[in-house]
Amino acid sequence: MALDRITLTLPTAKLTAIDNALVALETALTELVALEPEDRKRLPKMGDKSEAFCRQTLTVMAQNPQIVNPSLGLPAAQADLAALDVLRPRRQRMQALLERMQDTETLLGSDVMAAALEAYGLLKVSGKSQGLSALRAGLSARFNKGKSSVKRLRAANDADGGSGKVA
């Protein structure tokens, strides 16, 4: 028996509200950038351990302006750190929401897959007597890697006596 672990209904009004919220986020966050994978690889990263180092270094430099070369761009680095501090909690909230969406999508797909597998099993058991062999053979493409789907359909058609009926 197929498991139904989740039931989700999204009425049109709710979908419209979601889409409007996404448009509002996209509009409010036009300054965000998208990096090319190669650019992303080349950049120095500030991980958890490095963050403390970076914060301390910027603080020491701000407290000792006499040793800071203007070409260092300390004010820009401080502004970047401040922007990081206000952006990060919002990204974390969005990431948590995205993870919930992904988990929900996984459960929905799992429920659909379980029902389809159970239905396919019924086709295998009772499909021959119902003239559904060709249809079952076409569906078996998901499981058979050796034969081409054309060969499977021909074999199923031959098994049905060449009727070619698909109910």
Side-chain angles (χ1 to χ4, degrees):
M1 184 169 184
L3 296 176
D4 188 14
R5 290 169 272 205
I6 186 170
T7 300
L8 177 66
T9 304
L10 295 171
T12 303
K14 190 175 254 189
L15 290 172
T16 300
I18 292 167
D19 291 340
N20 289 340
L22 290 170
V23 167
L25 282 170
E26 292 164 346
T27 301
L29 296 170
T30 57
E31 298 86 0
L32 297 181
V33 299
L35 295 173
E36 294 294 327
E38 287 302 316
D39 294 335
R40 196 175 293 122
K41 286 179 188 176
R42 282 185 240 145
L43 290 172
K45 311 292 188 298
M46 183 179 75
D48 293 338
K49 291 178 184 177
S50 299
E51 186 171 341
F53 162 78
C54 293
R55 287 181 185 279
Q56 280 184 308
T57 301
L58 293 183
T59 299
V60 169
M61 291 295 102
Q63 293 170 349
N64 296 284
Q66 72 279 5
I67 63 168
V68 178
N69 186 330
S71 67
L72 177 66
L74 181 61
Q78 291 170 316
D80 288 348
L81 186 59
L84 177 68
D85 288 340
V86 297
L87 185 62
R88 182 178 282 154
R90 286 148 183 96
R91 185 212 28 96
Q92 289 169 335
R93 286 178 62 193
M94 289 175 65
Q95 187 169 355
L97 180 61
L98 180 59
E99 286 177 18
R100 287 178 37 216
M101 289 179 81
Q102 289 170 329
D103 289 346
T104 300
E105 185 177 318
T106 298
L107 275 178
L108 289 167
S110 179
D111 283 354
V112 170
M113 186 67 177
L117 287 171
E118 188 172 326
Y120 178 72
L122 291 172
L123 274 175
K124 284 173 61 174
V125 171
S126 60
K128 289 181 183 177
S129 64
Q130 301 294 318
L132 299 174
S133 294
L135 180 60
R136 186 195 54 78
L139 293 172
S140 71
R142 190 251 185 252
F143 303 104
N144 297 333
K145 294 181 181 180
K147 290 183 176 181
S148 73
S149 45
V150 172
K151 287 180 182 176
R152 280 192 301 281
L153 286 175
R154 284 185 188 146
N157 192 27
D158 292 343
D160 280 344
S163 67
K165 290 184 184 178
V166 176

